[in-house]
Amino acid sequence: MMRALAAYLGPPIPAANVLPRSAIGDVPAFGLGWYRPEHGPIRTASRVPVSRGDAVLEVPSREDSHCILAHAGVRPGEAQPFRHGDLLFGFFGVLEAPQAVESTLMARLSERSRAANLDRTPEGLIFLTFLDELRDRTEPDDLADALEKTVGVVQDLATGHGTAATFTAVVTQGDCLVTLRTGTSGTEAALPPLRTLVTTDAGPGPAQGRWVCTEPAFAGDWTELDPHSLVIFTRDV
């Protein structure tokens, strides 16, 4: 199944515009999260293809947002992008032995995370691990630190079980995009792609829009992140 992540931060645009359908064609399912002025994020998901998702996309097509996160090609049981409080989190990667990692991740979760009404898929457990590492912090550097620590936990577990893991993740609290592209030792060639772009007056979209996508959302001068790279986009940079 084709899967993709896309995120946007900048002058408001219709939330539905961030769905990564232009580069990969129609996708069989998708999730979309965006921020409303003076409110936390709202999230919607669909198990029908984008081409038949008019009813689901009616609201996000009409609502402009400065911060949007989309996950296309979600699998049954996933609820991406994950939401908790003011956070949205999207994960795109591969755990070669998910069952071996799942039980250990579950066992090390805090009581608060175990009680959370969130997905218990491998991706969901990675998000819960991130919440434990983040605790109650909210600044961009805090998100970056928690994301790096989360990936370190999963890397150590995968290596301990003699398997590999690759990661592309994007997290936001509405005022920044924090993204990380990495994996266990020796997985550089298998890392999911991740590209960034800041739009100019030439468009498309408003100038100074910051994009992070696994697949280019439109033609432009995209920059591919190097392996083991972490990038923070903020609204004031």
Side-chain angles (χ1 to χ4, degrees):
M1 177 185 293
M2 182 66 74
R3 307 176 74 199
L5 271 176
Y8 173 84
L9 180 72
I13 63 173
N17 287 9
V18 178
L19 275 171
R21 51 190 166 182
S22 59
I24 65 173
D26 201 14
V27 292
F30 60 89
L32 184 65
W34 69 95
Y35 291 77
R36 290 171 162 173
E38 310 303 325
H39 294 281
I42 186 170
R43 190 175 63 86
T44 188
S46 174
R47 300 302 177 193
V48 301
V50 170
S51 64
R52 294 193 285 113
D54 290 348
V56 177
L57 293 175
E58 181 176 359
V59 172
S61 294
R62 295 179 178 181
E63 290 203 353
D64 289 349
S65 176
H66 70 278
C67 186
I68 308 157
L69 179 58
H71 189 281
V74 293
R75 296 181 301 217
E78 283 188 330
Q80 295 202 52
F82 298 111
R83 178 194 172 185
H84 183 72
D86 287 335
L87 294 170
L88 289 175
F89 183 98
F91 174 82
F92 175 102
V94 174
L95 301 177
E96 288 191 351
Q99 294 82 6
V101 175
E102 282 176 28
S103 58
T104 309
L105 283 179
M106 188 66 191
R108 70 184 305 280
L109 291 179
S110 68
E111 289 299 322
R112 182 173 69 172
S113 289
R114 289 188 192 184
N117 185 24
L118 291 171
D119 199 354
R120 292 308 196 264
T121 61
E123 294 86 353
L125 291 173
I126 288 172
F127 178 50
L128 290 170
T129 301
F130 170 80
L131 293 179
D132 277 346
E133 297 294 344
L134 182 64
R135 299 187 295 279
D136 296 319
R137 300 178 295 163
T138 60
E139 296 301 315
D141 286 344
D142 299 328
L143 270 64
D145 176 68
L147 188 55
E148 287 187 307
K149 288 179 178 177
T150 299
V151 168
V153 168
V154 179
Q155 286 176 324
D156 289 346
L157 290 177
T159 301
H161 286 287
T163 67
T166 59
F167 309 87
T168 292
V170 180
V171 61
T172 177
Q173 33 58 318
D175 288 323
C176 68
L177 295 177
V178 179
T179 185
L180 178 64
R181 179 181 185 236
T182 191
T184 50
S185 178
T187 61
E188 282 81 358
L191 292 183
L194 192 64
R195 302 168 176 89
T196 65
L197 181 144
V198 178
T199 51
T200 65
D201 290 332
Q208 297 305 304
R210 297 154 177 83
W211 291 80
V212 177
C213 300
T214 53
E215 299 290 337
F218 46 81
D221 190 17
W222 293 85
T223 299
E224 183 161 348
L225 264 65
D226 292 332
H228 315 301
S229 294
L230 183 146
V231 172
I232 302 175
F233 280 134
T234 59
R235 297 180 70 182
D236 56 355
V237 175

